[in-house]
Amino acid sequence: MAPLAGERRAELVTSLGAVRARIANACIEAGRDPHSVTLIAVTKTYPAADVATLATLGVLDIGESRDQEAAAKVAEVAEAQGHGAADERGPSLRWHFVGRLQSRKARSVATYAHAVHSVDRPELIGQLAAAVTRAGRGRLDVFVQVSLDGDPARGGVAGGGVLALADVVAARAQLRLRGVMAIAPMAAEPHRAFAELAAASAQLRVAHPEADAISAGMSVDLEAAITHGSTHVRVGTALLGRRSQVFG
Ligand SMILES: *Cc1c(COP(=O)(O)O)cnc(C)c1O
């Protein structure tokens, strides 16, 4: 049974406070401004009601990893927020697509996403650019996903391929190259993985100084990611609870 709305809200208030404190502490330890880190709440498997509650708590960056689920949730949240007078509507959300993206989903994702964090091949870049034009929208933010373990199942381009891919993104007027993204390999020490990502980011910024964002860090390793310069942490479990479904 779904929890009562008030109970769920109280749960989210508590978990959000804890996550914000973790981010702030990690920033202090690293000598960084806590405002330099954007918290993306990864709401996959959780309902639109949780997104709406998080929005009222000031979390406006929402992450999803499957198009079908995301598209439905975006519509549901918009519908809920659309009722009532314009000045009563919730603040607008930024949807971040963080999962592996199949080419045939590019068109759909471009209709609602503010950013795609998982761009790892040239065909996808062309498809996203065309989809942005088709949607008649502003530029789509793009992160190039870097593979830190060479495991193709987790997505990402090997370190050496980052620059070439970034050049392809930067050449598209419909896209804005933001930086790099990675998921720390399960087996590896997170500090080592995130240091490797930081090096890829530094290399990228030589050619594209504006692409200074680093999307890294999840529930278990956000502190390590912040130590190594993460600007966007993607947090699911620590905010919303353990997912009952297994996600890739
Ligand atoms: C699910 C997911 C997250 C959040 O993971 P948690 O461990 O629940 O914090 C972050 N990034 C990506 C790409 C994900 O798929």
Side-chain angles (χ1 to χ4, degrees):
M1 224 175 76
L4 292 171
E7 283 174 16
R8 181 57 171 158
R9 184 183 168 84
E11 260 173 33
L12 291 174
V13 166
T14 302
S15 61
L16 178 60
V19 168
R20 287 215 187 284
R22 284 177 63 190
I23 293 170
N25 284 331
C27 285
I28 289 165
E29 293 264 313
R32 297 181 53 191
D33 176 357
H35 294 109
S36 66
V37 177
T38 299
L39 169 62
I40 299 172
V42 180
T43 52
K44 62 190 179 197
T45 79
Y46 285 95
D50 281 349
V51 175
T53 301
L54 286 167
T56 67
L57 301 175
V59 180
L60 301 180
D61 289 277
I62 305 295
E64 286 286 336
S65 63
R66 286 184 178 181
D67 171 62
Q68 206 179 358
E69 180 186 353
K73 214 175 288 182
V74 168
E76 211 181 319
V77 173
E79 162 91 0
Q81 291 191 331
H83 290 307
D87 60 352
E88 287 170 5
R89 275 178 211 156
S92 53
L93 298 170
R94 289 177 292 270
W95 293 88
H96 297 256
F97 193 86
V98 302
R100 296 210 68 187
L101 182 51
Q102 293 170 279
S103 296
R104 63 192 173 86
K105 303 287 191 182
R107 192 190 281 183
S108 170
V109 168
T111 63
Y112 59 80
H114 162 80
V116 174
H117 291 237
S118 47
V119 169
D120 62 358
R121 55 196 193 279
E123 316 82 76
L124 184 56
I125 296 166
Q127 279 144 352
L128 284 171
V132 167
T133 300
R134 189 185 170 91
R137 52 162 289 166
R139 288 161 99 193
L140 173 69
D141 282 8
V142 163
F143 292 75
V144 172
Q145 184 176 350
V146 185
S147 167
L148 297 176
D149 56 1
D151 176 1
R154 310 199 81 192
V157 61
V162 174
L163 262 184
L165 217 48
D167 288 343
V168 178
V169 174
R172 295 289 191 156
Q174 301 95 327
L175 308 177
R176 181 162 78 121
L177 178 66
R178 287 292 281 120
V180 289
M181 176 276 211
I183 301 170
M186 303 220 196
E189 214 283 305
H191 279 282
R192 223 172 111 179
F194 294 135
E196 201 182 311
L197 182 63
S201 168
Q203 224 173 39
L204 172 64
R205 279 176 281 138
V206 174
H208 300 281
E210 71 291 350
D212 58 358
I214 300 178
S215 168
M218 320 203 308
S219 292
V220 292
D221 55 17
L222 69 87
E223 285 88 354
I226 288 171
T227 301
H228 294 282
S230 171
T231 60
H232 292 71
V233 293
R234 310 177 308 267
V235 182
T237 313
L239 272 180
L240 293 130
R242 288 186 66 174
R243 291 178 291 275
S244 47
Q245 284 167 254
V246 177
F247 259 69

